[in-house]
Amino acid sequence: MLRTIYNGQLRLSNVGQNVELVGWVAKKRNLGSLLFIDLRDRTGIIQLLINSEQIVVPDVRNEYLLHVFGVVKQKAVANNLLATGEVEVEVSKLEVINKAETTPLIIANETDALEEVRLKYRYLDLRRPTMQDKLIKRAQIVRSTHQYLDQNGFIEIETPILTKSTPGGARDFLVASRLHPGSFYALPQSPQIYKQLLMISGLERYYQIAKCFRDEDLRADRQPDFTQIDLETSFLNQDEILTLTEGLLHKIFLETVNYDLPLPLPRLTYEQALHTYGSDKPDLRYGLKIVNIKDIFENNQNTFFVDNTHIIAIKVANFAEQATRKVLDNYNLTAKKFKLASYAMLKYSSGELVGSLVKLFSAQEILALKTKLDLTEHDVVFIAASPLEDAAYFGLGALRTQVAKDLNLIDDQIYSLLWVTDFPLFETSDEGRLVAAHHPFTRPHDEDLALLKTNPAQVRAQAYDIVINGYEAGGGSLRIYDRDLQNQIFTLLGMSEEAIRFKFGFFVDAFNYGTPPHGGIALGLDRMTMILTGTDNIRDVIAFPKNLAGVSPMSEEPTTVDQQQLIDLHLKIVE
Ligand code: ASP
C-alpha cells in the first residue's frame, strides 16, 4: 500500500498524525522557498506544504502523480472551499511516481474544453471530480437496486447479447456469423422475450442490469448502447407492480440524493396527461394546465371554430410584457414542428383581450373566455386548434414546456415523479398501419378486448410509464399470456402466419406450456442517473459514451476492419 489514508478524509482529528499519501497534482503555487500543492485523489483534495530548504523537491507539474510522506497540521486560516480545508500536510519526503504531459483539458470541475476533446481524452475528463461524482452516484443507484430487488425475492439472471433479429421496434445492430454464412445475430434491443420466457420457466421474479442496443438517431438523452434496470414478475397485478417499483425508486432517491420521495406517486391515465398537460410525459413541477375552450364557441359559425374539433388554451400569468416578437417567433417554430397549423396568442391588457383572433369572437364569448380562464392584467393566452386531437394537445404541450423554460417556472429543488397508465395499445404509422405503441406482447385491457375486432385504435393497454421531471424514465406492461390473443395481436400488426412462425415461433410455442400471468418494467439507468446528477446530457453519466454521430472520439469506433475479417464473415462491402 502506498498510502495510509485518502486525501479527502483528512480532518482536524488527524492533526499530529504521520501520513503517507498518493495523488495527482491539481494545482501548484510557489512562495519563495515554500511550495503549496493541491493533491487530488478520488476522495478529494488536500493541500501539501513543502519547504524546499528542508527536503529535496523534484520537478513537479500539474497532473504528475506523487507519493508523499508528511505530518498533518492545522492551518492558520481554513479554506472553506475544501472539505479538508482546516488542515494541510507538511511534507517530509516527496517522490514522483509518474510524470504527465500538459493535459489537453483543464482537470477541474469547471473546464472550458469542447465535448469532443473531453470525449477524446475521456480518461482525463473522468479525472474531474464532478465526473467522478456522477459515476459514483450511478454506482449507488445500481447498489440500491441490487439490494432492494434481492430483498424482494428477485433473481439476477443474464440473458444473451447475441440474439435473434426481430425487427419491428427500433433498428437492430447486427453481428455477422462466421460459422453460418449469410446469417446474423442481433444485439438485443432489450431482454424482453427472454424475461417473459423466464416467467414461463417459473422463475417468478427476474431482474438484470441489462445492456440494450438500438440503432436509432442519437439525441441528448439517447445512446446506441444503454442500460436498463430490467425486471419481470409473475402473478402480480398492475397496482402491485407499480407499488413494488415505487419502493425501489424510494430507496434509490433516498440513498443517492437523500430525497424522501412521497409515496404513492401520482397516477394519470394517458388521456388525462394528454388533456391536462399535452404530453405523455408531463413535468408536474409547474402548472400551466390546458383548458378545453371548445364549448365557449359552440355557436360561432366561423370556419376556425367549425373546422377544428379541438380548441384548447393555456394561460400564462404575467407574460404580456415579455412576450416580444422574438419570443413569439420561437413559439411559432415549435408549433410548426408539432404540425399545429392553427395557433394564436392573445394578451389581456387594460381590461381588453388583444390579438388577431379576437375579431372572430362575440362579446359574450370574450366574457366566457375571461371567466373560464380567470384572466387578469398582463396574462397571455395561447390557443391551439386542430381537427386532430394529437396535433392540438401535443402541440400546445410543447409550447407549455417552452414557456416554462423561458419563464424559469421549473423548481429544480424538487423532483416530479408520476405514473402515466392506460396508453393506447396501438399507434398508427405514417403509412396508416397499426404498430405496437409499447411492444407486441403488451396485454390489452380486458374490457377493451372486443374492440380489437371493431376499432383496434381505441384499445387501451395495461401499460405504464414512470415519468421523472418530464423524462420518460422507464416503462412496462402486463403481458399477454394467452397464445391465441398473442397471435391475434401479431396478425393485427400485419404479420402473416409465416412471419409469426419465423420471428416468434419459439416464443409462441412456449405459450403452450402453462404460461403464468406476468408483467414487468424497465427503468432507464442512464436517464435516472442524469436526473439524479442534474445533467441533461446522457454522455455525462456514461463512462465511455459515443458522440451524437455514434462515434467514440477516443477509440474511434466504428472503424473499417481487415479484409481477412470480412472474408471470414463472408461479407463484402458494396460502395
Ligand atoms: N422491454 C421494455 C422496453 O425496453 C420494457 C418492458 O416492457 O418491460 O421498453
Side-chain angles (χ1 to χ4, degrees), residues 345-395:
M345 197 209 64
L346 314 176
K347 287 183 188 180
Y348 191 71
S349 64
S350 311
E352 292 286 329
L353 206 51
V354 207
S356 53
L357 206 61
V358 177
K359 61 178 179 298
L360 307 182
F361 299 168
S362 70
Q364 207 181 4
E365 287 164 349
I366 291 178
L367 192 65
L369 197 62
K370 273 190 208 165
T371 314
K372 187 154 195 180
L373 296 177
D374 189 19
L375 294 182
T376 51
E377 201 59 17
H378 302 308
D379 285 351
V380 164
V381 180
F382 288 97
I383 295 182
S386 175
L388 304 172
E389 183 179 39
D390 281 5
Y393 283 96
F394 283 116

Short mmCIF file of all heavy atoms in Angstrom, two decimals, residues 345-395:
data_model
loop_
_atom_site.label_atom_id
_atom_site.label_comp_id
_atom_site.label_asym_id
_atom_site.label_seq_id
_atom_site.Cartn_x
_atom_site.Cartn_y
_atom_site.Cartn_z
N MET A 345 -51.97 33.72 -30.21
CA MET A 345 -51.66 34.23 -28.88
C MET A 345 -52.49 35.48 -28.63
O MET A 345 -52.60 36.33 -29.51
CB MET A 345 -50.17 34.57 -28.82
CG MET A 345 -49.69 34.71 -27.42
SD MET A 345 -48.33 35.85 -27.32
CE MET A 345 -49.06 37.37 -27.83
N LEU A 346 -53.05 35.57 -27.46
CA LEU A 346 -53.82 36.75 -27.08
C LEU A 346 -53.22 37.34 -25.82
O LEU A 346 -52.70 36.61 -24.98
CB LEU A 346 -55.28 36.38 -26.79
CG LEU A 346 -55.99 35.47 -27.78
CD1 LEU A 346 -57.39 35.14 -27.26
CD2 LEU A 346 -56.07 36.13 -29.14
N LYS A 347 -53.31 38.67 -25.73
CA LYS A 347 -52.85 39.31 -24.49
C LYS A 347 -54.05 39.94 -23.80
O LYS A 347 -54.98 40.40 -24.47
CB LYS A 347 -51.85 40.42 -24.81
CG LYS A 347 -50.50 39.93 -25.26
CD LYS A 347 -49.57 41.10 -25.47
CE LYS A 347 -48.26 40.60 -26.10
NZ LYS A 347 -47.30 41.66 -26.34
N TYR A 348 -53.98 39.99 -22.49
CA TYR A 348 -55.03 40.66 -21.75
C TYR A 348 -54.41 41.89 -21.11
O TYR A 348 -53.64 41.79 -20.16
CB TYR A 348 -55.60 39.72 -20.68
CG TYR A 348 -56.85 40.24 -20.04
CD1 TYR A 348 -58.04 40.29 -20.77
CD2 TYR A 348 -56.84 40.71 -18.73
CE1 TYR A 348 -59.20 40.78 -20.19
CE2 TYR A 348 -58.00 41.19 -18.14
CZ TYR A 348 -59.17 41.23 -18.88
OH TYR A 348 -60.32 41.71 -18.31
N SER A 349 -54.69 43.06 -21.73
CA SER A 349 -54.12 44.27 -21.11
C SER A 349 -55.13 45.41 -21.15
O SER A 349 -55.94 45.51 -22.07
CB SER A 349 -52.79 44.65 -21.77
OG SER A 349 -52.98 44.99 -23.09
N SER A 350 -55.06 46.24 -20.13
CA SER A 350 -56.02 47.33 -19.89
C SER A 350 -57.46 46.81 -19.98
O SER A 350 -58.33 47.43 -20.59
CB SER A 350 -55.82 48.48 -20.87
OG SER A 350 -54.47 48.85 -20.94
N GLY A 351 -57.66 45.62 -19.42
CA GLY A 351 -59.01 45.05 -19.37
C GLY A 351 -59.53 44.57 -20.71
O GLY A 351 -60.70 44.25 -20.85
N GLU A 352 -58.67 44.56 -21.72
CA GLU A 352 -59.09 44.14 -23.06
C GLU A 352 -58.33 42.91 -23.50
O GLU A 352 -57.14 42.77 -23.20
CB GLU A 352 -58.76 45.26 -24.07
CG GLU A 352 -59.56 46.52 -23.91
CD GLU A 352 -60.98 46.35 -24.41
OE1 GLU A 352 -61.18 45.56 -25.34
OE2 GLU A 352 -61.89 46.99 -23.83
N LEU A 353 -59.00 42.07 -24.27
CA LEU A 353 -58.33 40.93 -24.88
C LEU A 353 -57.82 41.39 -26.25
O LEU A 353 -58.60 41.90 -27.07
CB LEU A 353 -59.33 39.79 -25.02
CG LEU A 353 -58.81 38.37 -25.05
CD1 LEU A 353 -57.88 38.09 -23.88
CD2 LEU A 353 -59.97 37.39 -25.03
N VAL A 354 -56.54 41.26 -26.50
CA VAL A 354 -55.96 41.76 -27.76
C VAL A 354 -55.30 40.61 -28.52
O VAL A 354 -54.66 39.75 -27.92
CB VAL A 354 -54.85 42.81 -27.48
CG1 VAL A 354 -54.72 43.77 -28.65
CG2 VAL A 354 -55.08 43.55 -26.19
N GLY A 355 -55.44 40.66 -29.85
CA GLY A 355 -54.82 39.61 -30.67
C GLY A 355 -55.64 39.42 -31.93
O GLY A 355 -56.82 39.75 -31.95
N SER A 356 -55.00 38.86 -32.97
CA SER A 356 -55.68 38.83 -34.26
C SER A 356 -56.93 37.96 -34.24
O SER A 356 -57.87 38.18 -35.00
CB SER A 356 -54.71 38.34 -35.34
OG SER A 356 -54.15 37.12 -34.92
N LEU A 357 -56.97 36.96 -33.36
CA LEU A 357 -58.12 36.06 -33.33
C LEU A 357 -59.36 36.71 -32.71
O LEU A 357 -60.49 36.30 -32.98
CB LEU A 357 -57.73 34.81 -32.50
CG LEU A 357 -58.45 33.51 -32.81
CD1 LEU A 357 -58.22 33.06 -34.25
CD2 LEU A 357 -57.98 32.40 -31.86
N VAL A 358 -59.12 37.79 -31.92
CA VAL A 358 -60.22 38.36 -31.13
C VAL A 358 -61.36 38.86 -32.01
O VAL A 358 -62.53 38.80 -31.62
CB VAL A 358 -59.69 39.50 -30.22
CG1 VAL A 358 -60.82 40.14 -29.43
CG2 VAL A 358 -58.64 38.95 -29.27
N LYS A 359 -61.03 39.30 -33.24
CA LYS A 359 -62.10 39.83 -34.10
C LYS A 359 -63.14 38.75 -34.47
O LYS A 359 -64.24 39.07 -34.88
CB LYS A 359 -61.50 40.47 -35.36
CG LYS A 359 -60.69 39.55 -36.25
CD LYS A 359 -60.19 40.32 -37.49
CE LYS A 359 -59.36 39.48 -38.42
NZ LYS A 359 -58.13 38.94 -37.85
N LEU A 360 -62.77 37.49 -34.28
CA LEU A 360 -63.73 36.42 -34.57
C LEU A 360 -64.64 36.11 -33.38
O LEU A 360 -65.57 35.33 -33.50
CB LEU A 360 -62.99 35.13 -34.96
CG LEU A 360 -61.95 35.20 -36.08
CD1 LEU A 360 -61.36 33.82 -36.35
CD2 LEU A 360 -62.59 35.74 -37.37
N PHE A 361 -64.35 36.71 -32.23
CA PHE A 361 -65.12 36.40 -31.02
C PHE A 361 -66.30 37.36 -30.85
O PHE A 361 -66.18 38.55 -31.15
CB PHE A 361 -64.27 36.56 -29.75
CG PHE A 361 -63.05 35.68 -29.65
CD1 PHE A 361 -62.09 35.93 -28.68
CD2 PHE A 361 -62.86 34.62 -30.52
CE1 PHE A 361 -60.96 35.13 -28.57
CE2 PHE A 361 -61.73 33.82 -30.41
CZ PHE A 361 -60.78 34.08 -29.44
N SER A 362 -67.41 36.86 -30.32
CA SER A 362 -68.50 37.76 -29.93
C SER A 362 -68.20 38.28 -28.52
O SER A 362 -67.35 37.71 -27.81
CB SER A 362 -69.83 36.99 -29.91
OG SER A 362 -69.81 36.07 -28.82
N ALA A 363 -68.90 39.36 -28.12
CA ALA A 363 -68.67 39.93 -26.78
C ALA A 363 -68.94 38.89 -25.70
O ALA A 363 -68.22 38.79 -24.70
CB ALA A 363 -69.58 41.14 -26.59
N GLN A 364 -69.95 38.09 -25.95
CA GLN A 364 -70.33 37.04 -24.98
C GLN A 364 -69.19 36.00 -24.85
O GLN A 364 -68.88 35.54 -23.76
CB GLN A 364 -71.59 36.37 -25.50
CG GLN A 364 -72.44 35.78 -24.44
CD GLN A 364 -73.65 35.12 -25.08
OE1 GLN A 364 -73.78 35.05 -26.31
NE2 GLN A 364 -74.52 34.62 -24.25
N GLU A 365 -68.61 35.67 -26.01
CA GLU A 365 -67.54 34.67 -26.00
C GLU A 365 -66.30 35.21 -25.26
O GLU A 365 -65.63 34.49 -24.54
CB GLU A 365 -67.18 34.26 -27.44
CG GLU A 365 -68.24 33.38 -28.07
CD GLU A 365 -68.12 33.28 -29.59
OE1 GLU A 365 -67.35 34.05 -30.20
OE2 GLU A 365 -68.82 32.43 -30.17
N ILE A 366 -66.02 36.49 -25.47
CA ILE A 366 -64.88 37.09 -24.78
C ILE A 366 -65.09 37.02 -23.27
O ILE A 366 -64.20 36.63 -22.51
CB ILE A 366 -64.68 38.56 -25.22
CG1 ILE A 366 -64.20 38.59 -26.67
CG2 ILE A 366 -63.68 39.29 -24.31
CD1 ILE A 366 -64.01 39.96 -27.26
N LEU A 367 -66.30 37.33 -22.86
CA LEU A 367 -66.62 37.28 -21.43
C LEU A 367 -66.48 35.86 -20.87
O LEU A 367 -65.89 35.63 -19.82
CB LEU A 367 -68.05 37.80 -21.22
CG LEU A 367 -68.42 38.10 -19.77
CD1 LEU A 367 -67.57 39.25 -19.23
CD2 LEU A 367 -69.91 38.43 -19.66
N ALA A 368 -66.98 34.91 -21.65
CA ALA A 368 -66.91 33.50 -21.21
C ALA A 368 -65.46 33.04 -21.09
O ALA A 368 -65.08 32.34 -20.15
CB ALA A 368 -67.66 32.62 -22.21
N LEU A 369 -64.64 33.51 -22.04
CA LEU A 369 -63.22 33.13 -22.02
C LEU A 369 -62.53 33.73 -20.80
O LEU A 369 -61.76 33.05 -20.10
CB LEU A 369 -62.57 33.64 -23.31
CG LEU A 369 -61.23 33.03 -23.70
CD1 LEU A 369 -61.38 31.53 -23.94
CD2 LEU A 369 -60.69 33.70 -24.97
N LYS A 370 -62.83 35.01 -20.54
CA LYS A 370 -62.26 35.68 -19.36
C LYS A 370 -62.61 34.92 -18.10
O LYS A 370 -61.77 34.72 -17.21
CB LYS A 370 -62.86 37.10 -19.23
CG LYS A 370 -62.15 38.17 -20.01
CD LYS A 370 -62.72 39.51 -19.55
CE LYS A 370 -62.63 40.54 -20.65
NZ LYS A 370 -63.47 41.72 -20.39
N THR A 371 -63.86 34.50 -18.01
CA THR A 371 -64.30 33.81 -16.80
C THR A 371 -63.68 32.43 -16.70
O THR A 371 -63.13 32.05 -15.66
CB THR A 371 -65.84 33.67 -16.80
OG1 THR A 371 -66.38 34.93 -17.18
CG2 THR A 371 -66.39 33.25 -15.46
N LYS A 372 -63.70 31.70 -17.81
CA LYS A 372 -63.22 30.32 -17.76
C LYS A 372 -61.72 30.27 -17.44
O LYS A 372 -61.25 29.42 -16.69
CB LYS A 372 -63.49 29.61 -19.09
CG LYS A 372 -63.17 28.13 -19.04
CD LYS A 372 -63.97 27.31 -20.03
CE LYS A 372 -63.88 25.83 -19.70
NZ LYS A 372 -64.61 24.98 -20.60
N LEU A 373 -60.96 31.23 -18.00
CA LEU A 373 -59.51 31.22 -17.77
C LEU A 373 -59.11 32.11 -16.59
O LEU A 373 -57.93 32.21 -16.27
CB LEU A 373 -58.77 31.67 -19.04
CG LEU A 373 -58.91 30.77 -20.26
CD1 LEU A 373 -58.20 31.36 -21.46
CD2 LEU A 373 -58.36 29.38 -19.97
N ASP A 374 -60.09 32.78 -16.02
CA ASP A 374 -59.84 33.66 -14.88
C ASP A 374 -58.71 34.67 -15.23
O ASP A 374 -57.69 34.75 -14.54
CB ASP A 374 -59.45 32.81 -13.66
CG ASP A 374 -59.40 33.66 -12.40
OD1 ASP A 374 -59.99 34.75 -12.41
OD2 ASP A 374 -58.75 33.23 -11.42
N LEU A 375 -58.95 35.45 -16.29
CA LEU A 375 -57.90 36.33 -16.81
C LEU A 375 -57.72 37.58 -15.95
O LEU A 375 -58.69 38.17 -15.49
CB LEU A 375 -58.24 36.75 -18.24
CG LEU A 375 -58.23 35.64 -19.27
CD1 LEU A 375 -58.54 36.20 -20.67
CD2 LEU A 375 -56.89 34.92 -19.29
N THR A 376 -56.47 37.93 -15.73
CA THR A 376 -56.17 39.21 -15.09
C THR A 376 -55.11 39.93 -15.92
O THR A 376 -54.52 39.36 -16.83
CB THR A 376 -55.66 39.03 -13.65
OG1 THR A 376 -54.61 38.09 -13.66
CG2 THR A 376 -56.74 38.56 -12.70
N GLU A 377 -54.89 41.18 -15.54
CA GLU A 377 -53.98 42.06 -16.28
C GLU A 377 -52.63 41.38 -16.58
O GLU A 377 -52.06 40.72 -15.71
CB GLU A 377 -53.77 43.31 -15.42
CG GLU A 377 -53.31 44.54 -16.14
CD GLU A 377 -54.24 45.01 -17.26
OE1 GLU A 377 -55.41 44.61 -17.33
OE2 GLU A 377 -53.75 45.79 -18.09
N HIS A 378 -52.14 41.56 -17.81
CA HIS A 378 -50.83 41.06 -18.27
C HIS A 378 -50.78 39.55 -18.51
O HIS A 378 -49.71 39.00 -18.74
CB HIS A 378 -49.69 41.45 -17.31
CG HIS A 378 -49.57 42.92 -17.10
ND1 HIS A 378 -49.48 43.80 -18.15
CD2 HIS A 378 -49.53 43.67 -15.96
CE1 HIS A 378 -49.40 45.03 -17.67
NE2 HIS A 378 -49.43 44.99 -16.35
N ASP A 379 -51.94 38.89 -18.45
CA ASP A 379 -51.94 37.46 -18.79
C ASP A 379 -51.80 37.29 -20.30
O ASP A 379 -52.21 38.16 -21.08
CB ASP A 379 -53.27 36.81 -18.37
CG ASP A 379 -53.35 36.59 -16.87
OD1 ASP A 379 -52.32 36.79 -16.20
OD2 ASP A 379 -54.43 36.24 -16.38
N VAL A 380 -51.23 36.16 -20.68
CA VAL A 380 -51.17 35.80 -22.09
C VAL A 380 -51.90 34.47 -22.24
O VAL A 380 -51.82 33.60 -21.37
CB VAL A 380 -49.70 35.66 -22.55
CG1 VAL A 380 -49.59 34.93 -23.88
CG2 VAL A 380 -49.06 37.04 -22.67
N VAL A 381 -52.64 34.34 -23.35
CA VAL A 381 -53.36 33.09 -23.60
C VAL A 381 -52.88 32.51 -24.92
O VAL A 381 -52.85 33.21 -25.94
CB VAL A 381 -54.89 33.34 -23.69
CG1 VAL A 381 -55.62 32.02 -23.95
CG2 VAL A 381 -55.40 34.01 -22.43
N PHE A 382 -52.45 31.25 -24.89
CA PHE A 382 -52.12 30.54 -26.13
C PHE A 382 -53.30 29.66 -26.48
O PHE A 382 -53.79 28.90 -25.63
CB PHE A 382 -50.88 29.66 -25.95
CG PHE A 382 -49.60 30.44 -25.83
CD1 PHE A 382 -49.06 30.75 -24.60
CD2 PHE A 382 -48.96 30.89 -26.98
CE1 PHE A 382 -47.89 31.47 -24.49
CE2 PHE A 382 -47.78 31.62 -26.89
CZ PHE A 382 -47.24 31.92 -25.64
N ILE A 383 -53.76 29.78 -27.71
CA ILE A 383 -54.88 28.95 -28.15
C ILE A 383 -54.40 28.04 -29.27
O ILE A 383 -53.72 28.48 -30.20
CB ILE A 383 -56.05 29.83 -28.64
CG1 ILE A 383 -56.60 30.65 -27.46
CG2 ILE A 383 -57.16 28.99 -29.27
CD1 ILE A 383 -57.78 31.51 -27.79
N ALA A 384 -54.72 26.76 -29.15
CA ALA A 384 -54.37 25.81 -30.20
C ALA A 384 -55.65 25.19 -30.73
O ALA A 384 -56.56 24.90 -29.95
CB ALA A 384 -53.46 24.72 -29.64
N ALA A 385 -55.72 25.01 -32.04
CA ALA A 385 -56.92 24.44 -32.62
C ALA A 385 -56.53 23.48 -33.73
O ALA A 385 -55.60 23.75 -34.50
CB ALA A 385 -57.80 25.55 -33.18
N SER A 386 -57.22 22.36 -33.77
CA SER A 386 -56.92 21.39 -34.82
C SER A 386 -58.07 20.40 -34.93
O SER A 386 -58.75 20.12 -33.94
CB SER A 386 -55.63 20.62 -34.49
OG SER A 386 -55.41 19.61 -35.44
N PRO A 387 -58.27 19.86 -36.13
CA PRO A 387 -59.24 18.76 -36.24
C PRO A 387 -58.67 17.49 -35.59
O PRO A 387 -59.41 16.56 -35.30
CB PRO A 387 -59.43 18.57 -37.74
CG PRO A 387 -58.42 19.42 -38.43
CD PRO A 387 -57.70 20.27 -37.43
N LEU A 388 -57.36 17.45 -35.40
CA LEU A 388 -56.71 16.25 -34.85
C LEU A 388 -56.34 16.44 -33.39
O LEU A 388 -55.69 17.43 -33.03
CB LEU A 388 -55.44 15.94 -35.64
CG LEU A 388 -55.61 15.77 -37.14
CD1 LEU A 388 -54.27 15.66 -37.82
CD2 LEU A 388 -56.47 14.52 -37.40
N GLU A 389 -56.76 15.49 -32.58
CA GLU A 389 -56.53 15.59 -31.14
C GLU A 389 -55.02 15.67 -30.83
O GLU A 389 -54.58 16.55 -30.07
CB GLU A 389 -57.14 14.37 -30.46
CG GLU A 389 -57.03 14.42 -28.95
CD GLU A 389 -57.67 13.21 -28.27
OE1 GLU A 389 -57.54 12.08 -28.79
OE2 GLU A 389 -58.29 13.42 -27.21
N ASP A 390 -54.24 14.80 -31.43
CA ASP A 390 -52.81 14.75 -31.11
C ASP A 390 -52.11 16.05 -31.47
O ASP A 390 -51.28 16.56 -30.72
CB ASP A 390 -52.13 13.58 -31.84
CG ASP A 390 -52.38 12.26 -31.14
OD1 ASP A 390 -53.15 12.27 -30.16
OD2 ASP A 390 -51.83 11.24 -31.58
N ALA A 391 -52.45 16.60 -32.65
CA ALA A 391 -51.78 17.83 -33.09
C ALA A 391 -52.08 18.96 -32.11
O ALA A 391 -51.19 19.72 -31.70
CB ALA A 391 -52.23 18.20 -34.49
N ALA A 392 -53.35 19.09 -31.71
CA ALA A 392 -53.73 20.18 -30.80
C ALA A 392 -53.03 20.02 -29.46
O ALA A 392 -52.35 20.94 -28.98
CB ALA A 392 -55.25 20.19 -30.60
N TYR A 393 -53.14 18.83 -28.86
CA TYR A 393 -52.65 18.67 -27.48
C TYR A 393 -51.13 18.58 -27.41
O TYR A 393 -50.51 19.25 -26.58
CB TYR A 393 -53.32 17.46 -26.81
CG TYR A 393 -54.74 17.78 -26.37
CD1 TYR A 393 -55.82 17.45 -27.17
CD2 TYR A 393 -54.96 18.44 -25.17
CE1 TYR A 393 -57.12 17.76 -26.78
CE2 TYR A 393 -56.25 18.75 -24.76
CZ TYR A 393 -57.32 18.41 -25.57
OH TYR A 393 -58.59 18.72 -25.18
N PHE A 394 -50.53 17.75 -28.26
CA PHE A 394 -49.06 17.66 -28.19
C PHE A 394 -48.43 18.99 -28.59
O PHE A 394 -47.38 19.38 -28.06
CB PHE A 394 -48.53 16.52 -29.07
CG PHE A 394 -48.71 15.16 -28.45
CD1 PHE A 394 -49.53 14.20 -29.04
CD2 PHE A 394 -48.06 14.83 -27.27
CE1 PHE A 394 -49.70 12.96 -28.45
CE2 PHE A 394 -48.22 13.58 -26.67
CZ PHE A 394 -49.04 12.64 -27.27
N GLY A 395 -49.07 19.69 -29.54
CA GLY A 395 -48.54 20.99 -29.96
C GLY A 395 -48.56 22.00 -28.82
O GLY A 395 -47.55 22.64 -28.50
#
